[in-house]
Amino acid sequence: MDRIRVLFVCQHNSGRSQIAEAFLQHFGQDRFEAHSAGTVPTAVAPLVTEVMREEDFDLRGKTATDVRDLLRENEPYHYLITTSGPDVLKDLPPLPAETTRLNWAFPDPEYVTGSLEEQLAAARAIRDDIRTQVIRFLHDF
């Protein structure tokens, strides 16, 4: 059976989409092929790297990817899931009709404020919410 191809998209590919990709790869095992990308890719946020390390995911070597490159260079995705809101898709080329689009809008860990402990707590909450949503998504299969 072919694996279900899923692309997670957010603006920078620096946090939310990277977290979702890691969780789907882990929990979906060999049933899914997960990728993540951004419309304006930057670098993976250190705060995200830290809270994912706490869960035994190493994102230190991950790089941000431009969503246009992934769409141009890969087979069509079965699912395209935005993790920052559907407006990130406005400048993209049309997607194939068979691609299911879902929106999972989460706060951006890069914009949390407060002390380091408060920032870590906020990033952990976002991470945990994304994990919960990925697990809910997997229950449909």
Side-chain angles (χ1 to χ4, degrees):
M1 178 172 121
D2 289 336
R3 295 191 305 170
I4 299 167
R5 295 174 44 78
V6 178
L7 176 59
F8 293 101
V9 179
C10 67
Q11 185 175 13
H12 296 129
N13 191 218
S14 62
R16 297 164 287 190
S17 54
Q18 294 277 356
I19 293 169
E21 175 189 2
F23 282 139
L24 185 60
Q25 288 285 52
H26 177 74
F27 294 120
Q29 299 173 349
D30 59 354
R31 295 182 303 154
F32 291 85
E33 179 181 338
H35 298 263
S36 67
T39 55
V40 184
T42 59
V44 178
L47 196 61
V48 169
T49 302
E50 175 60 25
V51 299
M52 289 301 284
R53 185 197 56 75
E54 294 172 356
E55 298 289 315
D56 294 325
F57 290 90
D58 186 359
L59 300 184
R60 286 178 298 174
K62 293 286 288 179
T63 58
T65 304
D66 191 304
V67 66
R68 292 161 203 81
D69 293 341
L70 281 183
L71 291 173
R72 183 176 45 253
E73 297 168 5
N74 288 289
E75 296 175 31
Y77 289 89
H78 298 100
Y79 290 88
L80 187 142
I81 303 172
T82 60
T83 57
S84 58
D87 55 318
V88 299
L89 302 178
K90 68 180 182 283
D91 296 324
L92 296 184
L95 298 170
E98 64 271 12
T99 300
T100 300
R101 296 156 189 85
L102 300 174
N103 178 45
W104 302 349
F106 297 101
D108 191 336
E110 286 191 280
Y111 297 114
V112 298
T113 59
S115 69
L116 178 57
E117 278 309 310
E118 291 167 331
Q119 291 176 31
L120 285 167
R124 287 179 188 119
I126 294 165
R127 174 202 65 203
D128 294 348
D129 288 346
I130 294 171
R131 176 182 31 231
T132 298
Q133 188 62 41
V134 167
I135 291 169
R136 283 185 190 133
F137 175 74
L138 288 170
H139 283 191
D140 291 338
F141 296 94

